[in-house]
Amino acid sequence: MGCAIIARFEAAAEIMSKTLYDKLWESHVVHTEEDGTALLYIDRHLVHEVTSPQAFEGLRLAGRKPWRVSSIVATADHNTPTTHWERGIEDPVARQQIETLNANIREVGALAFFPFKDKRQGIVHVIGPENGATLPGMTVVCGDSHTSTHGAFACLAHGIGTSEVEHVLATQCLLQKKSKTLLVRVEGKVGAGVTAKDIALALIGKIGTAGGTGYAIEFGGAAIRALSMEGRMTVCNMAIEAGARVGFVAVDETTIAYLRGRPFSPKGDVWDKAVAYWRTLVSDEDAKFDAVVELDARQIIPQVTWGTSPEMVTGIDGMVPAPEDFSDPVKREGVARALAYMGLTPRTPIQQIKVDKVFIGSCTNSRIEDLRAAAAVARGRHIATNVKLALVVPGSGLVKQQAEDEGLDKVFLAAGFEWRQPGCSMCLAMNDDRLSPGERCASTSNRNFEGRQGAGGRTHLLSPAMAAAAAIAGHFVDVRELL
Amino acid sequence: MEKFIRHEGLVVPLDRANVDTDAIIPKQFLKSIKRSGFGPNAFDEWRYMDHGEPGMDNSRRVRNPNFVLNQERYQGASILLARANFGCGSSREHAPWALQDFGFRAILAESFADIFFNNCFKIGLLPIVLPKAELDALFGLTEHTPGYRLTVDLPGQRVIRPDGHAIGFAVDAFRKECLLNGWDDIGLTLRHEEKIRAFEARRRVEQPWLFV
């Protein structure tokens, strides 16, 4: 009898305790189909020029109207140039896409629109948070896989395709099946010169680019708690590179402090009410996850990728591997192909690899903290003679302004870097910022795929401080030696 | 959306893991504001010897003879055989659009990236996850048997080899129903319009800060 009661009590406790994912999910379910496919209500819809035109056109062709335009925050970022704004957009195909966005938003409306050249224009995943348009507990969608970035605010943030963009415009809902949950716990404290980017790359190195497929990742542990919101955004941004469509961090004082006073953050009594709710956006202590991965922050050193997938990564003290190090034939073949593409010889120490270009920017690493970290390394130094171009592209007009207020632009310019206008730029090279075939780039972006930064270009992913260090040295170098 | 019930077609093997969406359709083609016409530029960097840009006459470009999709024996293929983590990378639906426009109706792989997988269902391109051992066998059969064809039977949830061997696969009931009928998701969702409105009205009261 006594045992039965205990068992029942335990069962009840298990039902009661929820992960943050459960809470975010359950609070947005409008309807569930028999097979578990749910209609999730969408609070925030971020829109940019590349993945939206076909969705707006689809809506028009079907004679439908957007459900709630006040959920929309739009900007132009992927295609915009980062120099000579006075000339406008010279590429006629890009210009048409941006003009199409302007026309669509003019027609339907939005909560906020930061068009090309607006002082608050920027990368969609930078402008949402900095304007307080990304708030804890929201579902956030955008036709861009790095929407996971917004999970830093305890949001359920999904990258979606264009059909889904149209679906959200028309219905304010997204059809989704619940994912499994993965807790990534990073305990301990990272050493000086080791950043959120290194945590993200070390994780991907450990679990692989498909390690998180089918999971929603919650990032936790002391090393995550110690990160600023900028750092958390970097980690959540890279969740997709680990295969997870969503990644998030629970609300704490850091979250709340960041949001206070932002343009779209709640004010007055509503702020207090919102904060009280936001504080519930944590996993319950005894919540169960489907899987747990643990990393020791003290073991993480600055990371650099050597191949054409973010999982092809090693510490700065490492070497380029050889295909024969891998037993799985598909993997071995993949490594051989990657090394051929990257123009690398097995067993080359990472620190001996020279770079031609450096890119500091992207939705992963273009926020003020990233620019400060890079500037700290660049200050009083100069880029190496073999570095043809070192670009610093702030994530938004506001980030750019703040960096200039702090004098960071002068630091970069004095060190030989170029200081550009905000946008996605050389992360995906849709504009003129790109690599030429065979050029090697130290990049703070998120993908080192073949051709990503320009056809034939060779990308090595790393943190802003490490990128700045590579620019100064002309090859990869341990930034901890420069601090 | 195009219906998918049963499809029989020529198979082409793309024997590499982690085929990303940048490889499937490079970024320069994403500047289009249309949904169609991406097929000639599917796998552009692997398929052609030169660098492709929008507006080029692709029929005049030199093809890479080593790329499997260019080989004579695979012309007209409509079933793509792939490896793990196919479609990783960006959320661009241009990737499934390009594959569909190229002529593919189904992709068989060990695993798919989530967003790509989801995007395929929205346009009637069927992504099928198969066990590695079955895929290994299919790669061998395809490479060693000229004109190797497979049948994909969605109602029966089976991939059927010419020797009669059938490989079962899983598909969500809701997605299956949508594919079999060619249903438009939006129309389906709008059947729940009242529920959405009620949910929204409640949310507006409980979390007013979301509705500025």
Side-chain angles (χ1 to χ4, degrees), chain A residues 127-196:
Chain A
I127 61 153
E130 75 182 2
N131 285 289
T134 300
L135 296 172
M138 275 182 167
T139 40
V140 178
V141 297
C142 177
D144 188 284
S145 59
H146 290 107
T147 308
S148 58
T149 309
H150 306 264
F153 295 84
C155 290
L156 197 57
H158 292 91
I160 59 177
T162 298
S163 292
E164 290 178 312
V165 170
E166 186 181 339
H167 189 273
V168 173
L169 284 171
T171 71
Q172 210 58 41
C173 290
L174 182 68
L175 279 163
Q176 269 293 298
K177 266 207 126 168
K178 204 171 174 186
S179 302
K180 292 178 286 180
T181 53
L182 167 62
L183 174 65
V184 172
R185 196 188 287 129
V186 193
E187 292 296 356
K189 188 169 180 277
V190 291
V194 180
T195 67

Side-chain angles (χ1 to χ4, degrees), chain A residues 75-78 80-83 85 118-127 130 358-372 374 390-405 408-410 412-413 417-427 431 433 444 464:
Chain A
T75 194
D77 56 3
H78 283 62
T80 53
T82 60
T83 48
W85 272 13
D118 187 282
K119 69 180 195 313
R120 288 201 276 171
Q121 181 220 339
I123 305 174
V124 69
H125 307 309
V126 175
I127 61 153
E130 75 182 2
V358 175
F359 171 62
I360 297 172
S362 86
C363 59
T364 313
N365 281 128
S366 64
R367 297 179 182 82
I368 190 66
E369 181 182 284
D370 301 315
L371 303 189
R372 285 180 192 144
L391 278 186
V392 185
V393 183
S396 71
L398 294 183
V399 170
K400 181 166 187 270
Q401 185 58 54
Q402 187 174 350
E404 288 173 359
D405 290 347
L408 303 185
D409 56 327
K410 303 246 168 21
F412 286 121
L413 290 167
F417 289 79
E418 291 197 14
W419 179 247
R420 295 288 187 90
Q421 300 287 0
C424 298
S425 179
M426 211 205 278
C427 172
N431 66 5
D433 308 337
T444 67

Side-chain angles (χ1 to χ4, degrees), chain A residues 41 91 163-164 167 428 451, chain B residues 27 31 34 93 118 189 200:
Chain A
Y41 185 80
D91 174 352
S163 292
E164 290 178 312
H167 189 273
L428 87 167
Chain B
K27 85 278 290 171
K31 293 175 190 173
K34 300 197 186 109
E93 198 168 306
N118 202 54
T189 296
E200 190 169 57

